[in-house]
Amino acid sequence: MTTDSQARPSKAQLAWQDLELGMFCHFGINTFTGNEWGDGTDAPGRFNPTHFDANQWVSVAKRAGFRYLILTAKHHDGFCLWPTRTTDYSVRSSPWRDGQGDVVREVSDACQAAGIAFGLYLSPWDRHESCYPDQSAYDDFYAEQLTELLTQYGPLVEVWFDGAGSEGRAYDWERIMSLTERYQPGAMRFNMGVPTIRWVGNEDGVAPYPCWNRAASARTSMFTNDMLTWLPRTPLWVPAECDVPIRRTTWFWHPEEAYKIRPHEELLDIYYRSVGHGCNLLMNLAPDDRGLIPDADADAAIRMLDDVHARFANPVAETAGEGELLLWHAPKPATFDHAVLMEQIEEGERVRKYVLEARLGDGAWTELACGSAIGHKRIDVFPSVTADQVRLAVRESEGMPLIRSLRLYNTGAVSDAGSAINLDGTAVDNTNDAIPLAGKPGASL
Ligand code: FUL
């Protein structure tokens, strides 16, 4: 039996964790009907994105700084965005491109051309398919759909298995997992079957702190508190992904709802509490009924990540190393207000408790921040200081602490009280206890 301290990420998990930022695109028949959860009866004739341009989606992703894109190939309504052999309920029966189009192909090609990793969402729950009530027939149907997607659209970074609507329903996860492993061994498997990444447990885009990479269980659905217990083959290392729609409450595009786009300060707060807590952030930008990401959504995402980039592009100091004490000694004093810590997680997450301190002009040491998990990343925020030495003291760890990097930044965006601030001067809520959770590694969400 593997113990917590031996848990290590696979190479594919490591690469995925380094991506940090993903863009989710919910697009389908709902885009044309105003539904969030179509019941599977909407006529395929309604799907007609007359100005569809996958390159526009991908250029928004690229410009903003997202590194992967996940498309809903089939949502709960069952309508397929690729010309599947399994059902007529697809783009093939729509007027779009005279039934000759393939959304999945175009988005996949655009991502590949732009160097953005591509992933797919395939809803297990299918409200259209008549064989759905027959478990074994639907297992075959789903396996065939999945095989088409896994084999025809190049390398996938992630396959998103959504638990919504499937409460109490069993699927053939052995088969689903083995198909995924066979055809896309590098793809992350999201939250069901034998997952390699887990859902953070809410749709607000925020992780608790600490959010350990090791976990024994995770929530699978918004609609039940039942926990998924990992199957024996599930690795202990299952990093969390934080998904959130940029428009409050809706994943698909709806007319007249641009007012729901989250304000800049909320988007920044989401960044601090997802990536800043060591998780990946998957933010949904829904293309509209023209087949384009609306300017307002694109602008909000770009502004958010431009601000992040401005804060974290140029460290004033940087160091790395191993051991319980990591010291940065400056040739001349530097001023800074953020620290970004990363562990060398290929060797596991070892830190359990740390303190970050700075030596000020008078030679006295002052505590800047303290915490438990560092893992892939931890962003600490504190009132601006000018110091000639900084030390990271690891007070508790499992094995020798290995620090991939300690970077200090002078963002100029911190209030006197020590919170990160937005461009408009309001405070970013970076508190550790936003979602109260057990702080032990491996604790259930
Ligand atoms: C949920 C779904 O029910 C929503 O429609 C959306 O797809 C979200 C990402 O996951 O569980």
Side-chain angles (χ1 to χ4, degrees), residues 69 71 73-74 80-86 90-92 96 100-113 116-122 144-159 183-184 187:
L69 185 155
L71 168 67
K74 178 186 85 169
C80 297
L81 292 183
W82 79 105
T84 174
R85 287 187 310 264
T86 59
S90 82
V91 281
R92 210 199 283 278
W96 178 62
Q100 302 301 306
D102 183 342
V103 175
V104 179
R105 166 90 47 232
E106 294 196 30
V107 180
S108 148
D109 287 352
C111 283
Q112 212 150 22
I116 300 266
F118 179 56
L120 287 168
Y121 166 117
L122 182 68
E144 204 178 327
Q145 291 197 328
L146 184 64
T147 304
E148 290 178 353
L149 293 174
L150 297 174
T151 56
Q152 294 172 20
Y153 297 98
L156 299 178
V157 70
E158 183 172 332
V159 185
Y183 295 121
Q184 295 286 344

Side-chain angles (χ1 to χ4, degrees), residues 218-262:
R219 282 183 77 194
T220 48
S221 161
M222 285 293 281
F223 311 103
T224 169
N225 280 325
D226 287 355
M227 306 301 264
L228 171 80
T229 306
W230 305 120
L231 300 173
R233 282 194 298 130
T234 300
L236 264 177
W237 190 276
V238 270
E241 182 177 59
C242 306
D243 61 324
V244 62
I246 199 163
R247 295 187 180 197
R248 286 189 183 128
T249 69
T250 48
W251 293 91
F252 283 91
W253 176 82
H254 303 279
E256 324 286 338
E257 280 196 351
Y259 71 91
K260 286 190 174 175
I261 295 173
R262 296 172 198 264

Side-chain angles (χ1 to χ4, degrees), residues 20 33 75 115 127 150 181 194 231 239 277 280 289 295 300 303 361 395 408:
E20 292 185 351
T33 61
H75 203 251
R127 305 180 81 185
L150 297 174
E181 262 168 305
V194 186
L231 300 173
H277 290 185
N280 279 29
D289 59 353
D295 288 346
R303 182 164 172 243
R395 297 269 162 84
L408 304 171

Side-chain angles (χ1 to χ4, degrees), residues 8 78 120 144 165 183 210 214 220 223 231 269 279 319 353 363 372 381 384 397 431:
R8 303 274 189 280
L120 287 168
E144 204 178 327
Y183 295 121
R214 292 144 300 138
T220 48
F223 311 103
L231 300 173
D269 178 64
C279 302
T319 187
K353 192 173 170 190
S372 50
V381 184
S384 175
S397 66
T431 49

Side-chain angles (χ1 to χ4, degrees), residues 24 26 36-37 72 75-76 121 160 162-164 203 222-223 243 251-252:
F24 218 168
H26 276 64
E36 276 290 297
W37 279 10
T72 51
H75 203 251
H76 309 322
Y121 166 117
W160 227 83
D162 189 346
E203 291 185 340
M222 285 293 281
F223 311 103
D243 61 324
W251 293 91
F252 283 91

